[in-house]
Amino acid sequence: MRIYDLIAKKKHGEALTDAEIGYMIDGFVKGEIAEYQMSAMLMAIWFRDMDAHETTELTKAMARSGDKVDLSPIEGKKVDKHSTGGVGDKTSLIVAPIVAACGVKVAKMSGRGLGHTGGTVDKLEAIPGYRTALDRREFLDTLRECGVSLIGQSGNLAPADKKLYALRDVTATVDSIPLIASSIMSKKLAAGSDCILLDVKTGSGAFMKTLEDSIRLAQTMVAIGEGAGRRTVALITDMDTPLGHSIGNALEVIESMEVLKGRGPKDLVEVSLQLAANMLCLADKGTLEECRRMAEKAIADGSAFETFCHMARRHGGDDSVLRDYEKFPKAPYTLEVKAEQDGYITRMDAEKVGLTSVLLGAGRETKESAIDLSAGLVLHKKYGDAVRKGEPLVTFYTSRPEKLAEAESLYREAIRTGSEPPKKIPLVFARVERDSIERYDTGC
Ligand code: URA
């Protein structure tokens, strides 16, 4: 078999066989297939797509490229969650402790920020001392003791994804349904949980920009999860507007703690409650309505917040910052950007808002860049809000004063103002199960 022939086959739109997919992934992980050839293959897949069988085989080959986590020493159902990536998407920090406080174990391996999107591991590292790398024993002990452990992708879990993702990130091949589905599901299958909730983002700040593509991605991933014997459900949630008001690592930890203390912004609270209810329901804790009430109670009685603090301490973190935000490092420069006219915010390009936060230092411009954990922005006006000339739209936080002017002009490009209020957009568009799609059409 030669990778050259497989690239040519995919270039002509033919399906690869199981053996060919296995050969390609094994060879790439062992370093026998060069990155320039794999890049050509990724681009061929981007243009020619893969059918359901090929995507499943690709996922399985990637999942078996490294270790699998054995969660069997932990009693009860274990639930995992994964988002396809967004701007201001800090829901893992919120739903994981809620679900754990309701008695379901959450063993979650998260990633770092990618492109314009943020990552849970970077956010956790804003908590001084928090270790996102635990060995197997510490991970299982934390899970037993706190009910939740949020860690980074461990040593040899789905190494094929690690290598492929780095390549996709620099070859403009991230936004492909078979490539996203295999990337996410290979990690979820290797991570060992019984149930998986997927948060598939849709809109300008998501990798899938249209609802139909997002539903197709969700159906592909749900079919792979269920086919591997894991209960899998996907929610399609809005990413046309950033979630919540804060974007940037320490800022997002603070906003997440506000949600856990019962003081979060409405959109973030609503999406978090729906995700948590679905995770609890997957673990057979009750109907969706009952599970939602359980999640609400875990916020109201403070148990979800205490669970997060306990987990943070167990990971070596200083949880006093979660009670006194003044202890977080502060960005030395700020800029308030003001509205230039009266009206309503009729569009927020979430990708451009995310890129603004990267410019301010909250994300990586290259794989090697260091992140400024205190950098980011806080939105004062969002989609649908009325605004008057001179009112603050957003505040920037940065250690790079030289970037403020560029960040302001990019942010202004991301925002459109009109004279009429825009139509309401649902926060959750649909719930996708193995054999059904339930569509929702209510704005929140
Ligand atoms: N998140 C992942 O882990 N992989 C993707 O391809 C996209 C989002």
Side-chain angles (χ1 to χ4, degrees):
M1 219 178 271
R2 290 193 319 157
I3 187 68
Y4 177 95
D5 300 324
L6 305 191
I7 297 168
K9 192 172 177 188
K10 186 43 81 183
K11 182 179 77 176
H12 292 295
E14 289 172 50
L16 301 177
T17 66
D18 299 1
E20 288 166 343
I21 290 172
Y23 162 82
M24 171 176 91
I25 295 300
D26 290 353
F28 182 56
V29 171
K30 286 187 194 140
E32 292 163 6
I33 291 176
E35 292 205 333
Y36 53 81
Q37 287 179 307
M38 192 48 104
S39 302
M41 174 60 91
L42 291 171
M43 195 53 90
I45 295 172
W46 193 95
F47 275 107
R48 291 303 203 160
D49 210 349
M50 279 183 143
D51 64 27
H53 181 82
E54 285 177 286
T55 307
T56 303
E57 275 312 307
L58 179 62
T59 308
K60 287 192 201 157
M62 288 166 68
R64 64 173 183 262
S65 67
D67 300 334
K68 294 217 166 135
V69 182
D70 176 13
L71 292 177
S72 61
I74 305 289
E75 263 178 51
K77 289 240 166 77
K78 277 75 66 181
V79 190
D80 199 349
K81 138 186 203 282
H82 201 93
S83 155
T84 56
V87 179
D89 179 14
K90 64 243 351 138
T91 55
S92 291
L93 301 182
I94 301 165
V95 302
I98 292 178
V99 171
C102 295
V104 174
K105 301 276 191 301
V106 184
K108 172 146 175 60
M109 278 166 217
S110 298
R112 296 194 179 275
L114 299 164
H116 67 281
T117 68
T120 303
V121 169
D122 295 327
K123 294 173 214 213
L124 289 167
E125 287 179 355
I127 302 170
Y130 191 107
R131 288 183 301 129
T132 53
L134 299 185
D135 64 27
R136 183 186 137 77
R137 198 197 158 92
E138 279 180 302
F139 177 56
L140 293 183
D141 286 348
T142 307
L143 203 50
R144 259 189 221 103
E145 206 180 290
C146 309
V148 52
S149 184
L150 296 177
I151 62 172
Q153 194 175 341
S154 79
N156 198 33
L157 190 101
D161 177 57
K162 238 186 225 168
K163 282 191 83 175
L164 280 173
Y165 203 98
L167 211 50
R168 288 166 59 211
D169 205 19
V170 292
T171 54
T173 50
V174 171
D175 52 343
S176 143
I177 289 177
L179 297 178
I180 295 177
S182 55
S183 163
I184 291 178
M185 294 310 290
S186 61
K187 286 180 289 219
K188 297 295 103 179
L189 298 187
S193 284
D194 309 293
C195 315
I196 302 162
L197 180 72
L198 300 163
D199 179 5
V200 178
K201 300 286 182 199
T202 191
S204 61
F207 292 122
M208 291 292 113
K209 308 287 184 203
T210 68
L211 182 56
E212 290 323 307
D213 280 349
S214 305
I215 288 179
R216 196 157 78 82
L217 173 60
Q219 287 176 313
T220 305
M221 293 196 287
V222 168
I224 293 170
E226 291 281 340
R230 316 291 172 90
R231 287 198 62 194
T232 311
V233 164
L235 290 188
I236 313 284
T237 68
D238 179 55
M239 190 34 69
D240 219 34
T241 301
L243 196 53
H245 289 93
S246 298
I247 300 158
N249 299 289
L251 294 168
E252 292 193 43
V253 172
I254 294 172
E255 190 169 56
S256 305
M257 294 308 107
E258 286 296 284
V259 175
L260 294 179
K261 292 172 189 174
R263 306 189 292 237
K266 217 168 144 202
D267 62 338
L268 180 58
V269 172
E270 180 58 30
V271 172
S272 301
L273 284 173
Q274 293 209 31
L275 293 170
N278 273 279
M279 287 170 78
L280 290 166
C281 195
L282 275 170
D284 294 328
K285 290 297 256 185
T287 63
L288 268 180
E289 291 71 31
E290 288 162 350
C291 290
R292 183 180 170 117
R293 282 198 292 278
M294 260 182 244
E296 285 169 346
K297 182 165 173 293
I299 294 179
D301 66 15
S303 57
F305 175 66
E306 289 307 328
T307 299
F308 189 93
C309 291
H310 188 187
M311 176 194 68
R313 284 196 302 279
R314 196 67 177 69
H315 278 253
D318 173 7
D319 69 326
S320 72
V321 297
L322 307 174
R323 300 171 203 277
D324 177 4
Y325 307 141
E326 289 304 309
K327 292 185 172 178
F328 276 107
K330 291 270 170 314
Y333 300 93
T334 64
L335 175 73
E336 209 171 66
V337 175
K338 299 203 163 73
E340 288 173 329
Q341 64 191 84
D342 292 354
Y344 294 89
I345 308 285
T346 54
R347 171 135 176 85
M348 289 188 93
D349 182 325
E351 181 167 355
K352 285 196 175 138
V353 176
L355 290 172
T356 307
S357 77
V358 173
L359 258 184
L360 295 169
R364 291 180 188 80
E365 269 152 3
T366 68
K367 262 196 301 167
E368 288 73 32
S369 333
I371 273 195
D372 176 356
L373 295 167
S374 64
L377 46 93
V378 174
L379 311 172
H380 305 301
K381 297 287 177 186
K382 288 186 59 175
Y383 178 82
D385 286 346
V387 58
R388 303 201 58 99
K389 185 174 173 187
E391 270 191 302
L393 289 172
V394 62
T395 303
F396 294 160
Y397 296 86
T398 190
S399 309
R400 305 172 170 176
E402 72 285 2
K403 296 284 185 187
L404 283 168
E406 196 184 339
E408 175 172 353
S409 87
L410 184 57
Y411 192 82
R412 287 197 189 281
E413 267 177 44
I415 303 291
R416 217 169 292 150
T417 313
S419 54
E420 298 295 326
K423 75 172 190 339
K424 276 199 165 187
I425 291 182
L427 286 171
V428 181
F429 287 89
R431 182 172 188 270
V432 178
E433 285 195 76
R434 182 176 26 192
D435 303 315
S436 65
I437 305 178
E438 195 180 347
R439 291 185 189 248
Y440 309 123
D441 56 6
T442 48
C444 295

